[in-house]
């Protein structure tokens, strides 16, 4: 894949669109009784933003999403918004979306343009999956660290509450994002 570049107007329009997609995906959530962190589709939206928009506009997109939520617009899970959400136990994950989009975009831009042979396509898929995993790791690192600080929970308990139960769903989201990025990239150029 070649470096992701857009005209400024196109990039900003796409960033706004993906900020809105992140909001809608955040609203599609399932609260869990044992943790304040809900299952939602927001990380799928972040993977798509980073994978399709690259590090610059993907990061802008999730920064806009976070700032819109910070001023009180209910774009976060559970139709919530405000600084109290960012200061609460899930705030680190929301801020982590920005890092996640940046890492995914950065790594995706490092992927070389494949040849038309099957081996080239496999390499791109592997690089895309690795990019998504690295971005997700950045989000989980920031989110879990903030969860520990804001709740006083230990690392083991935080992993059991906020990471391990979500991993099967993240595998599905990475699979879907990898397929969608490969299919949609040619349409938003």
């Amino acid at each position: 894949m070649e470096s992701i570049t857009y005209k400024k107007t196109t990039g900003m329009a796409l960033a706004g669109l993906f900020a809105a997609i992140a909001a809608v995906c955040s609203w599609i959530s399932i609260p869990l009784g044992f943790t304040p962190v809900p299952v939602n589709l927001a990380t799928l939206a972040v993977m798509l933003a980073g994978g399709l928009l690259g590090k610059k506009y993907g990061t802008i997109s999730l920064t806009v999403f976070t700032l819109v939520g910070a001023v009180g617009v209910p774009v976060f899970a559970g139709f919530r918004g405000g600084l109290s959400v960012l200061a609460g136990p899930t705030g680190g994950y929301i801020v982590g979306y920005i890092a996640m989009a940046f890492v995914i975009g950065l790594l995706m831009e490092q992927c070389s343009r494949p040849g038309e042979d099957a081996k080239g396509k496999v390499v791109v898929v592997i690089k895309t999956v690795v990019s998504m995993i690295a971005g997700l790791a950045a989000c989980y690192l920031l989110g879990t660290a903030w969860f520990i600080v804001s709740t006083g929970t230990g690392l083991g308990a935080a992993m059991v509450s906020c990471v391990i139960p979500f991993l099967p769903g993240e595998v599905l989201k990475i699979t879907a994002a990898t397929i969608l990025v490969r299919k949609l990239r040619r349409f938003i150029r």
Side-chain angles (χ1 to χ4, degrees), residues 26 36-37 62-77 80-98 139 142-151:
S26 288
V37 181
L62 276 301
T63 301
V64 167
F65 166 80
T66 304
L67 291 174
V68 166
V71 299
V73 178
V75 297
F76 302 141
R80 298 178 324 141
L83 288 174
S84 63
V85 177
L86 292 176
T90 62
Y93 295 102
I94 296 168
V95 172
Y97 295 163
I98 299 168
C139 180
L142 290 170
T144 305
W146 180 248
F147 182 85
I148 290 168
V149 168
S150 67
T151 64

Side-chain angles (χ1 to χ4, degrees), residues 54-129:
K55 68 180 184 279
K56 179 179 179 180
Y57 291 110
T59 302
I60 290 170
S61 176
L62 276 301
T63 301
V64 167
F65 166 80
T66 304
L67 291 174
V68 166
V71 299
V73 178
V75 297
F76 302 141
F79 296 95
R80 298 178 324 141
L83 288 174
S84 63
V85 177
L86 292 176
T90 62
Y93 295 102
I94 296 168
V95 172
Y97 295 163
I98 299 168
M100 183 177 174
F102 178 80
V103 168
I104 291 170
L106 176 69
L107 294 176
M108 291 292 294
E109 289 175 6
Q110 303 304 314
C111 293
S112 60
R113 186 177 180 97
E116 292 302 316
D117 62 358
K119 183 179 177 186
K121 291 179 183 178
V122 170
V123 169
V124 170
V125 168
I126 291 169
K127 287 181 177 182
T128 302
V129 169

